[in-house]
Amino acid sequence: MLKHRGFPGRLPGTDFQFVIRRAVHGRGVTRIIARERYRDRANPDKRADAGFLAALWDHFGEEPFERGNLDAGRLSWLFGREVVPAEDPFDPESYEALLKIDLRCARASFPEVFATGRARIEDAGEDEK
């Protein structure tokens, strides 16, 4: 499992996890699924989504990236919309699976992440408080 060095471990000041420490052995790799985001989600959850997308954008930009140690649960909140498979066929249970940011969708969903002058992931989603 590739460990993304320099990628934030969690949303600063919260318990929202962005990466895992070690690969899962025995039970299998956690599957990435497209989770439904309802309009009535709590602001901290929305902030975590924006912070995670900001971290992905800061770390990878428009380039495809390997899933590696990125948290499957956190990826699942963006998967199928802002984060899409970068290979066909795509294996949602592989640490080596390639993903990429769908820039058009990401800009529409989280404009604050792409605003000029945005300096830190802690700021992502602050306007929703």
Side-chain angles (χ1 to χ4, degrees):
M1 173 180 70
L2 173 68
K3 291 195 176 191
H4 296 291
R5 302 287 178 207
F7 197 89
R10 62 184 63 246
L11 183 66
T14 72
D15 287 332
F16 290 108
Q17 178 176 311
F18 287 174
V19 297
I20 60 174
R21 290 183 182 195
R22 61 187 71 80
V24 177
H25 297 290
R27 294 179 296 159
V29 178
T30 303
R31 181 181 192 86
I32 300 173
I33 59 169
R35 290 188 176 174
E36 187 68 34
R37 289 194 314 249
Y38 296 100
R39 290 190 175 271
D40 63 347
R41 286 184 74 210
N43 283 338
D45 293 324
K46 293 176 187 177
R47 199 169 135 245
D49 292 343
F52 185 62
L53 181 61
L56 290 172
W57 178 248
D58 290 345
H59 205 76
F60 305 112
E62 294 184 68
E63 297 300 315
F65 56 91
E66 193 171 312
R67 171 187 174 176
N69 70 329
L70 299 176
D71 182 68
R74 187 56 46 205
L75 276 169
S76 291
W77 287 110
L78 304 177
F79 187 71
R81 293 173 297 271
E82 296 82 15
V83 175
V84 295
E87 60 187 356
D88 188 26
F90 176 74
D91 182 359
E93 295 181 12
S94 171
Y95 289 123
E96 289 80 31
L98 292 179
L99 301 161
K100 66 181 177 180
I101 295 174
D102 180 334
L103 197 51
R104 184 189 54 79
C105 183
R107 284 182 194 266
S109 299
F110 297 97
E112 68 277 11
V113 169
F114 301 95
T116 57
R118 187 191 58 79
R120 302 181 324 265
I121 67 168
E122 299 94 34
D123 297 334
E126 284 293 319
D127 59 330
E128 296 176 2
K129 284 186 176 179

